[in-house]
Amino acid sequence: MTLIFAHRGAAGTYPENTMAAFLEAERAGADGIELDVQLTKDGEIVVIHDETVDRTTDGSGWVHGMTYRELRKLNAAAKWDGRYGHCPIPHLEEVLAWLGSTRLFVNIELKNSLIAYETLEQKTIALVRRHGLEKRTLLSSFNHNSMRFCRTVAPEIETALLYMEPLYDPWTYVRAMKADGVHPYHRTVTAAFVADAQRRGLAVRPFTINKTEVMKTMFAYGVDAIFTDHPRRAKEWKEKTP
Ligand code: G3P
Ligand code: CA
């Protein structure tokens, strides 16, 4: 059965990576949420996609150049014409504390490709463990070295490799990275690829799928999960797909 992960929360209809978007994901009946994490200047884990705050907030500058206190003053709903009022950038702690009261899975994407964020892995893993969410968490990153490191530090938490372009000899590579699955750009995914992965005990969760036609194709392939900005739409089409 294909699970539905609300990408950056229900980012199609709510400000991405905010509590409002995560709450909507739960209301929509998603199975899980996906979110992105970076570190502030004073080492706090914040939930934000870009390395800068410019695109999604009313502020400007690097996430790693601002303290948590400074970041909290910004409005992550600023680009939504006042529809959602003031939504602060969440701390990962806040999201995990709420998640504990739900049945949702969480995919924490470590945004550590452009900036190394030296302690991001250890801090994220410590928080997941503190909330007892090891079995409901998937760690992923485009930085595969980071995923290999997470596997060493936290063998009990699932890891997945994110990528845009098809991998050469993927199964040898994924095994070498000791990952549990792949999160590929959906255009690289075929029915044969999914079947092959699953035969090897590896999960396939393509991103980011918003078009109905692509949703239907992925459900038919039997992928393990999809990431979508529109969990309500995905749920509706999943129920209609035999
Ligand atoms: O994890 C899937 C997807 O979120 C990766 O791309 O840029 O939306 O973080 P991006
Ligand atoms: Ca992401």
Side-chain angles (χ1 to χ4, degrees), residues 7-8 34 36 49 107 109 111 142 162 207-208 227:
H7 181 242
R8 308 181 197 173
E34 187 266 358
D36 308 283
H49 179 273
N107 174 205
E109 183 189 340
K111 280 289 183 205
F142 286 99
L162 271 161
F207 69 92
T208 298
F227 296 103

Side-chain angles (χ1 to χ4, degrees), residues 8-24:
R8 308 181 197 173
T13 46
Y14 281 74
E16 67 178 58
N17 282 323
T18 62
M19 285 309 300
F22 301 137
L23 289 165
E24 166 60 9

Side-chain angles (χ1 to χ4, degrees), residues 212 216 219 232-242:
T212 306
K216 288 193 314 202
F219 293 145
R232 282 181 196 274
R233 187 183 300 164
K235 216 172 159 317
E236 188 189 322
W237 282 99
K238 188 173 127 177
E239 278 157 19
K240 285 186 194 161
T241 308

Side-chain angles (χ1 to χ4, degrees), residues 110-127:
L110 306 184
K111 280 289 183 205
N112 52 3
S113 294
L114 294 184
I115 298 173
Y117 293 127
E118 250 178 55
T119 54
L120 183 61
E121 292 98 340
Q122 296 93 321
K123 284 184 171 170
T124 301
I125 288 164
L127 260 192

Side-chain angles (χ1 to χ4, degrees), residues 60-74:
S60 112
W62 294 93
V63 173
H64 74 89
M66 300 166 103
T67 63
Y68 178 61
R69 213 182 138 90
E70 286 166 344
L71 272 163
R72 279 298 278 196
K73 291 184 189 144
L74 304 179

